[in-house]
């Protein structure tokens, strides 16, 4: 988990910085004029506006971690903690590939990602379109 976190911090920081730069300072100042503290303004005004960006960044980071193979192959040597891509890699033998088992594992491994996209589709589309519009 630590390696995945270190790998994804730069990516998520770059993605989220674009969303944060889009939010005007006047929103936070207006909330503070209405009696909110800085922390309250953050959670009541800024975070709801940032939800599409947070959701889009989370989905991209989740898919990256879910599909990552190289680091998992290098660092996991216990059978009980193998990730799904590492387990699927075991279906590839020296002279043969177990196509049936690999196909079944592929279908099962796609289900969590599909469910995540189904639940977060609204936020993902909003997050992707907000980053493309200026003004």
């Amino acid at each position: 988990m630590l390696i995945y976190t270190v790998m994804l911090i730069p990516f998520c920081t770059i993605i989220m910085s674009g969303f944060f730069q889009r939010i005007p300072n006047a929103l936070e100042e207006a909330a503070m004029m209405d009696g909110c503290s800085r922390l309250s303004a953050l959670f009541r005004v800024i975070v709801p506006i940032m939800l599409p960006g947070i959701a889009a960044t989370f989905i991209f980071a989740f898919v990256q971690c879910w599909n990552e193979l190289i680091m998992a192959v290098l660092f996991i040597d216990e059978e009980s903690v193998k990730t799904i891509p590492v387990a699927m890699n075991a279906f590839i033998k020296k002279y043969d590939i177990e196509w049936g088992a690999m196909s079944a594992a592929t279908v099962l491994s796609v289900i969590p990602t599909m469910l995540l996209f189904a639940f977060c589709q609204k936020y993902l589309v909003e997050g992707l379109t907000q980053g493309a519009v200026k003004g």
Side-chain angles (χ1 to χ4, degrees), residues 25-46:
N25 291 335
L27 288 176
E28 185 179 5
E29 293 170 0
M32 291 174 68
M33 290 293 285
D34 288 339
C36 290
S37 66
R38 188 171 292 273
L39 189 63
S40 179
L42 175 71
F43 286 110
R44 291 183 183 198
V45 177
I46 304 300

Side-chain angles (χ1 to χ4, degrees), residues 111-128:
I111 290 173
T113 307
M114 289 175 54
L115 290 174
L116 180 69
F117 273 99
F119 287 123
C120 297
Q121 178 182 9
K122 175 183 140 187
Y123 293 113
L124 180 66
V125 171
E126 280 183 38
L128 292 175

Side-chain angles (χ1 to χ4, degrees), residues 4 68-77 82-83 85-87 89-90:
Y4 292 142
E68 204 280 319
L69 175 67
I70 302 299
M71 291 292 181
V73 169
L74 289 175
F75 294 114
I76 295 177
D77 52 352
K82 279 187 177 179
T83 62
V86 174
N89 192 38

